[in-house]
Amino acid sequence: MRHARTRLGRTLLGALGAAALIGTAVTGPATAASAQARPTAASSQISGFGPDVLADKARPPAPAKPSDAKASARHGNDCSPSSLKAKAAKAQPLNSSAPSELRGKKMATCVTFNEPDARLNKESAKARDAALNKARTVSAANIKGRDLSSLKAAKLKAGNGIAKQSKSILDLPQYCYDRKFQGWAGYRNEQCRIDDVTLYFFDVSDKGAPVWIGTAKALEYDFVYTSDIVDKFAHQIRVSKYWGERSGNNEFASFISGMSWCDGDCKPERDTGLRPGQFVKDVNNDGEAFYDSTRGEPGGIGFNHSFWEWNAEVFPFIPAAPVVIEAPQVRCDNAFDDDGNNSGDPAFVTRATVGAGCVFNGVMPVMIYSKSGAYPTLARHIGAAQASGLPGAYPNGAVLTRLTNKYDKRRNGDTACPSKWVRPNLKSCDEYPFRSSYQGAYTQTPKGTGRTFAPPNISWCEMDPRWGVPVGVTGPTGWSSCMIPATENSRGGSALGAFYKTNRVLDKDAYQVWIQ
């Protein structure tokens, strides 16, 4: 249920200077989305992709848009002719407390998002670019050399404590600026968006078309983040006005207020509101909210959406509809399970004890192995197996889905790598798709047959021809087996387990594997 909330009001004191009322009739601004781009992100800013990426030996995938339908939701666009007409019907003429030039007039505000550049004049476009460049530069300087994953976890763990100690919200990663005005994008543990918000001011006194009398523009920066080791999540916002004209330049009686809430299996821990609450140029109004999962019991899985609502009020105009930001879905669980038997020839180990954590389950995680990284032979085998048609290849291959049943994982491994095969010295048997996937050799549907890669063209896959594993097999069903260095196999399997944990990959969760 949506938490009950009350619009924050303001008592406006003092007189307002007269606003120029000469303008042009309009029928409502249009909106359009910007063209998409494919940015890159420094590996120091993200986590969950394995040692190769974190050691800068491989590139992280492009930021992803969440698959859940609500991820792009925005509420508050109310500049349509019908909306302005409704505002005019509700508006009351200003009384004697207003400046003489405004008495008897009806004033209204409406809001739109991410208007195309064609609607920007040179002055506002220049101001927007300058504000974005400044924010990007400051963020890059503050982020440099910092472990953001640990910082996010620390803020979530501290909750109220750190919120009281510090008034600083987290800086946005650089990829957020590359994807400005394109909606939510990010990774399994963080999502961001940057929007350009426009407030239009109208005189709606007459029954004819509204008369435009001013514009104010602001940038809105949103960042939502989780941690794989904390069953909390955070949603922060920054609203900063960067330009205004005519009535939009009035800053004597201009205020901004906001609040946050969540829907789903969550409860609020802290909401700072927007501070300092001044809707004036070059002032950052920051807010952050923390939420606890209510499904922290063993085996519990909960689904949540967080929201921020804000409103800028300029006396004496009727406010626009509240700007509401709905974040992508967060899944918090205390159901992660792993026995370490994920890939290759590992023996059973003590089942890992893993606590609760949260992720954006609408983003499919990507495991990365590099041919120049810590497990080059393992990477070559997976790459060759994917090239032969087996599933899991990022970005366009059929997905793998995680399997947690320890007995089925063992059957997958025994089918692809029978114990009767004598392992060469310092080698162990590696299978793909992983034994910890439903696409493994035993659990896959439909069933396929084995394949391998042999000399003279393949020197890294040491297989005995007497085992009868065919070469040259292609297609999406079946599996591949190779003997590779035992240390690579074991450590690469451990890295896969770490990937599962960091991304909270539960049973039947989809994922892909990128070989670089």
Side-chain angles (χ1 to χ4, degrees), residues 395-408:
N396 298 318
V399 301
L400 301 178
T401 48
R402 188 177 176 226
L403 170 68
T404 59
N405 183 282
K406 65 179 181 180
Y407 301 107
D408 283 341

Side-chain angles (χ1 to χ4, degrees), residues 70-73 75 184 193 235 305-308 324-328:
K70 293 183 178 181
S72 298
H75 311 284
W184 291 103
R193 70 183 293 162
H235 186 167
H305 281 276
S306 61
F307 299 78
W308 264 98
V324 182
I325 310 97
E326 183 174 358

Side-chain angles (χ1 to χ4, degrees), residues 11 58 89 120 196 232 256 300 325 469 476 488:
T11 300
L120 302 176
D196 184 26
K232 298 180 182 180
I256 186 171
I325 310 97
V469 183
E488 283 193 39

Side-chain angles (χ1 to χ4, degrees), residues 30-32 113-120 128:
T31 60
F113 310 105
N114 302 331
E115 293 191 337
D117 289 344
R119 289 197 63 87
L120 302 176
R128 184 182 70 176

Side-chain angles (χ1 to χ4, degrees), residues 208-441:
V211 177
W212 170 84
I213 56 174
T215 303
K217 297 184 71 66
L219 289 166
E220 176 192 296
Y221 307 85
D222 297 290
F223 192 45
V224 192
Y225 58 91
T226 67
S227 171
D228 64 294
I229 59 174
V230 184
D231 59 343
K232 298 180 182 180
F233 58 100
H235 186 167
Q236 67 177 44
I237 183 175
R238 167 172 288 174
V239 182
S240 181
K241 180 181 176 182
Y242 67 85
W243 184 80
E245 63 177 331
R246 299 184 61 184
S247 294
N249 259 331
N250 169 40
E251 296 185 345
F252 174 76
S254 299
F255 305 96
I256 186 171
S257 59
M259 62 186 304
S260 183
W261 73 95
C262 74
D263 282 345
D265 303 303
C266 54
K267 60 181 180 180
E269 182 186 77
R270 180 175 173 82
D271 167 11
T272 64
L274 283 178
R275 52 200 180 189
Q278 302 170 6
F279 192 61
V280 299
K281 289 179 184 177
D282 303 323
V283 172
N284 292 329
N285 291 278
D286 295 343
E288 55 185 343
F290 297 90
Y291 295 98
D292 289 315
S293 169
T294 57
R295 294 300 308 275
E297 76 279 8
I301 301 175
F303 299 89
N304 318 281
H305 281 276
S306 61
F307 299 78
W308 264 98
E309 174 184 298
W310 63 269
N311 195 287
E313 300 184 43
V314 179
F315 181 79
F317 293 86
I318 295 174
V323 177
V324 182
I325 310 97
E326 183 174 358
Q329 181 172 266
V330 172
R331 184 186 71 190
C332 296
D333 78 272
N334 194 11
F336 182 85
D337 202 7
D338 190 17
D339 63 1
N341 187 24
N342 292 311
S343 176
D345 262 345
F348 279 121
V349 297
T350 303
R351 191 168 289 270
T353 301
V354 177
C358 302
V359 293
F360 295 96
N361 61 302
V363 176
M364 184 166 58
V366 180
M367 177 62 186
I368 298 175
Y369 290 111
S370 171
K371 295 178 182 178
S372 60
Y375 328 107
T377 314
L378 174 66
R380 289 189 180 93
H381 178 210
I382 297 173
Q386 291 178 344
S388 74
L390 292 177
Y394 172 85
N396 298 318
V399 301
L400 301 178
T401 48
R402 188 177 176 226
L403 170 68
T404 59
N405 183 282
K406 65 179 181 180
Y407 301 107
D408 283 341
K409 287 197 289 184
R410 175 60 68 179
R411 293 184 184 103
N412 279 339
D414 290 345
T415 301
C417 293
S419 58
K420 65 182 180 180
W421 292 355
V422 178
R423 275 56 170 167
N425 187 39
L426 300 180
K427 299 289 182 70
S428 66
C429 185
D430 181 51
E431 83 284 337
Y432 186 84
F434 305 126
R435 65 180 60 200
S436 54
S437 70
Y438 279 92
Q439 292 71 35

